């Protein structure tokens, strides 16, 4: 109740945050990504991960996958705000449907020699990461999986000489025979 | 080639723009020429179907187009050049977005090959206006232009209306291509606003309404945007149910202020009876309003005991600020029609006598009370006098933003929709004068009055020149208290009466200013002279600046203080003692 003098009603909300993955089907036209990102920055929503690519070239459709966090009311707002944009066809909450698969790809560069090098290869094998580039003192691994698995792999590589990571961000798709 | 040269649909981009305006029934546009729109101005010069009103600043064009749109229900059109022309449109576009006003802005752009080169008068217009339009387009190919223009009109006027912008590079204006008249396929397949409400939800709503003990209808600008049918149905619903009705600032006029179920406006400066009814109701029917923060007061204490029905065409308005029980997405005219039909067939007028008795008690508090003076004109009194003098006339009112705006909303009774033009969401000082220009263009024979404040009106004063040029007899009724009144009021109530930069030291002589523009000036100091001067102002058929000198430290009440709920309003009699004494202590030195 310690309200500072203000023309606005300042209120703190204490609802817990949730993380949701949204798939947004859009018309692939100039500026469409800027519109979507601008909505998030303009309204103060979070983007934890963003992946975008054209998925149906003939129909000029692109699919944007966004991982975001917020209270349930904010998540509902984000979906509604996205849905009312003119070039947006459809917004699907992949988290809410609970029947979706999420994957990310990462390329991980590790530099080292001797025992570190052997250990890195051993762990790569355990995580089903592939070697896609090698020198006598380095590897680049390609690893695919959900965000947690990739985070875990990167953590393990850190003491073994982690140099650089490049990640695609999350892509998601629903299970079962039905399309979006 | 020879076939094509005889094809009447082959034309330049500039010609397409004028043709599209004509095809969409546009008769008046507001604009300002410049390098990047000269081909379009050349086309305008060579035709007579579209009248162009030359403003003095692009912001004026935007607000004039807004006034035009709000008073007619048709889209307003503005034409501006690249760079500063476009950036000056940002305020009106944002204003129109916040208040859901259909606006089509056409902006010139530097030639395509120069885009991105920091060319003269270049700016990223679509980038800058992306968050302040419902949608915008940059047209790079003349053969896309017709489709984009038609889509622009469609998007601006359907669903939740709003502003759109079409940016047209100069080479596209010069290039020749194929025009086609408006057709269905011109619109994004992804854009399909929902019109019809869900039948199950409508039944749920009727069940709540039919069993209500303490109902209230809370209507907003959406009813007016939906068109005359929605207004008619809203009035019928009030009649059939016997429910009390309040409205947002934007919705004034949908239900007549003289109607017996009218509670007055609600919200921060709404009436006691409207806000108390909202707080204590058991069923709330929100039609075309959006639970804005000026309406709700403290969100966690907003109408705690009620079931809420929310009708809105924009799904993102649902559960944004306030969680509702029965959301119905669609056009409010359409849904009100369905609700009425079901209600009439299955329900009967609930007995809410006890509720009306309670409301009568709140009403008796007389929350709009003010004490008239014989020495100094009270601003509330000035608006009452203006209302009495214009009652029954064909009148349109615009306002600027601040205390005068709230007093206008409280003391001017609106009987019909589309008669009240005010900047609600964005709160744009300087809106009212150019908006009055736009209203007068649309309604040349009507009485158009801008109820203004001395600070706001100076923000767009230059449009007096437009009014004089086009012989638009707008009346600028300035409640001159020499302060930015609402800023001063907040400083008094919340910042220890430290009146930081809210006093205008060098007020222009508005009478001389009016005369300098070629208009007519009035100045009134004494309450006894007010009515006569207003009559004189009305009879003048030229643009008028009316300098109405009012009490300088009057506050706007009633008021919901910050952080408070609807049932914790500050009423005029409570506010007068301590608070105003404090104001005089600090303010005397200034006046």
């Amino acid at each position: 109740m310690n309200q500072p003098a203000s023309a606005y009603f300042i209120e703190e909300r204490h609802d817990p945050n949730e993380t949701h993955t949204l798939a947004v089907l859009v018309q692939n036209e100039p500026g469409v990504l800027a519109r979507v990102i601008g909505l998030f920055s303009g309204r103060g929503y979070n983007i934890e991960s963003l992946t975008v690519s054209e998925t149906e070239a003939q129909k000029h459709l692109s699919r944007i996958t966004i991982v975001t966090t917020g209270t349930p009311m904010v998540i509902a707002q984000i979906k509604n705000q996205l849905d009312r944009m003119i070039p947006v066809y459809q917004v699907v909450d992949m988290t809410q449907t609970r029947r979706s698969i999420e994957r990310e790809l990462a390329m991980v560069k590790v530099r080292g020699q001797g025992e570190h090098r052997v250990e890195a290869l051993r762990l790569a094998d355990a995580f089903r990461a592939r070697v896609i580039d090698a020198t006598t003192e380095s590897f680049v691994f390609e690893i695919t999986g959900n965000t947690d698995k990739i985070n875990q792999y990167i953590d393990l590589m850190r003491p073994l000489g982690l140099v650089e990571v490049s990640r695609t961000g999350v892509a998601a798709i629903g299970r079962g025979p039905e399309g979006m | 080639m020879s076939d094509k040269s005889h094809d009447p649909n082959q034309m330049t981009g500039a010609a397409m723009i004028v043709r599209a305006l004509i095809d969409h029934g546009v008769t008046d546009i507001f604009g300002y020429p410049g390098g990047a729109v000269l081909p379009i101005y050349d086309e305008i010069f060579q035709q007579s179907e579209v009248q162009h009103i030359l403003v003095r600043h692009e912001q004026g064009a935007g607000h004039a187009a807004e006034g035009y749109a709000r008073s007619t229900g048709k889209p307003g059109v503005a034409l501006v050049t690249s760079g500063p022309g476009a950036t000056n449109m940002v305020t009106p576009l944002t204003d129109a977005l916040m208040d859901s006003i259909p606006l089509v802005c056409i902006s010139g752009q530097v030639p395509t090959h120069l885009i991105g080169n920091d060319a003269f008068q270049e700016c990223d217009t679509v980038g800058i206006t992306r968050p302040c339009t419902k949608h915008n387009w940059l047209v790079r190919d003349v053969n896309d232009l017709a489709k984009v223009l038609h889509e622009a009109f469609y998007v601006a006027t359907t669903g939740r209306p709003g502003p759109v912008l079409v940016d047209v590079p100069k080479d596209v204006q010069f290039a020749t291509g194929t025009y086609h008249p408006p057709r269905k396929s011109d619109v994004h397949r992804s854009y399909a606003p929902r019109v019809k409400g869900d039948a199950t939800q409508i039944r749920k709503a009727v069940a709540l309404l039919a069993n209500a003990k303490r109902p209230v209808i809370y209507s907003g600008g959406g009813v007016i945007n939906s068109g005359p049918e929605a207004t008619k149905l809203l009035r019928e619903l009030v009649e059939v149910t016997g429910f009390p009705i309040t409205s947002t600032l934007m919705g004034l006029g949908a239900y007549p202020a003289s109607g017996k179920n009218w509670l007055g406006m609600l919200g921060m400066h709404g009436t006691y009876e409207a806000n108390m009814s909202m707080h204590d109701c058991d069923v709330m029917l929100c039609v075309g309003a959006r639970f804005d923060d000026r309406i709700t007061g403290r969100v966690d204490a907003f109408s705690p005991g009620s079931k809420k029905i929310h009708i809105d065409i924009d799904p993102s308005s649902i559960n944004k600020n306030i969680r509702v029980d029965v959301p119905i997405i669609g056009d409010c005219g359409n849904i009100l029609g369905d609700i009425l039909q079901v209600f009439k067939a299955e329900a009967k007028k609930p007995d809410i006598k006890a509720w009306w008795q309670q409301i009568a008690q709140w009403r008796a508090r007389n929350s709009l009370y003010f004490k008239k003076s014989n020495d100094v004109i009270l601003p509330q009194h000035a608006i009452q006098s203006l209302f009495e003098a214009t009652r029954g006339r064909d009148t349109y009112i615009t306002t600027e933003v601040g205390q005068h705006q709230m007093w206008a909303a409280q003391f001017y009774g609106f009987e019909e929709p589309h008669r009240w033009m005010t900047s609600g969401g964005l709160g744009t000082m300087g809106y009212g004068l150019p908006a009055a220009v736009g209203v007068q263009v649309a309604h040349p024979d009507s009485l158009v009055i801008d109820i203004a404040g001395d600070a706001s009106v100076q923000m767009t004063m230059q449009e007096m020149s437009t009014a004089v040029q086009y012989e638009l007899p707008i009346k600028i009724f300035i409640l001159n208290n020499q302060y930015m009144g609402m800023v001063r009021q907040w400083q008094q109530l919340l910042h220890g009466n430290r009146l930081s930069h809210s006093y205008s030291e060098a007020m222009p002589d508005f009478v001389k200013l009016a005369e300098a523009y070629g208009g007519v000036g009035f100045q009134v100091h004494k309450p006894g002279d007010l009515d006569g001067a207003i009559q004189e102002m009305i009879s003048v058929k030229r643009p008028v600046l009316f300098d109405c000198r009012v009490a300088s430290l009057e506050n706007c009440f009633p008021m919901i203080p910050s952080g408070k709920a609807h049932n914790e309003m500050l009423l005029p009699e409570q506010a007068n003692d301590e608070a105003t004494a404090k104001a005089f202590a600090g303010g005397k030195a200034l006046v």
Side-chain angles (χ1 to χ4, degrees), chain B residues 4-61:
Chain B
K4 274 204 164 180
S5 64
H6 288 98
D7 182 351
N9 286 329
Q10 288 293 306
M11 62 181 87
T12 64
M16 282 185 198
I17 289 169
V18 175
R19 174 73 83 83
L21 294 178
I22 295 167
D23 282 353
H24 287 278
V26 176
T27 51
D28 306 276
I29 66 170
F30 303 87
Y32 203 101
V37 279
L38 286 178
I40 305 171
Y41 272 86
D42 202 31
E43 287 295 331
I44 288 172
F45 188 84
Q46 298 174 56
Q47 56 85 49
S48 56
E49 283 172 86
V50 178
Q51 186 198 194
H52 177 272
I53 307 292
L54 173 67
V55 295
R56 298 299 179 267
H57 184 289
E58 287 88 353
Q59 185 189 352

Side-chain angles (χ1 to χ4, degrees), chain A residues 1 3-11 13 15 25 27 29-32 34-36 38 42-43 45 59 61 72-74 76-77 80-90, chain B residues 97 126 130-131 133-137 140 151 155 160 188-191 268 293-294 296-300 314-323 490 494-495 560-564:
Chain A
M1 280 308 288
Q3 179 83 21
S6 168
Y8 296 91
F9 305 103
I10 296 163
E11 193 205 17
R13 290 181 183 256
D15 290 349
L25 209 58
Q27 186 78 31
E29 61 185 24
V32 67
R35 276 178 216 286
V36 170
R43 292 186 182 266
Y45 306 142
K59 292 186 191 162
L61 290 182
M73 224 162 150
V74 168
Q77 261 297 298
N80 285 332
Q81 293 286 358
L82 283 168
D83 211 15
R84 74 172 183 157
M85 299 186 118
I86 310 294
V88 171
Y89 280 90
Q90 210 185 346
Chain B
L97 186 69
V126 285
R130 200 173 283 133
T133 52
K134 186 173 170 189
H135 199 63
N136 63 11
W137 297 259
R140 288 171 173 275
E151 183 175 22
V155 169
R160 181 176 179 175
H188 270 85
R189 279 175 301 126
S190 48
Y191 177 68
M268 184 174 270
D293 61 86
R294 302 292 98 166
T296 56
R298 214 179 126 173
V299 180
D300 56 3
D314 178 0
S316 75
S317 290
I318 308 283
N319 291 335
K320 181 165 66 179
N321 304 322
I322 299 292
R323 222 179 282 275
W490 282 96
L494 297 167
H495 294 275
I560 305 177
S562 62
K564 295 290 169 67

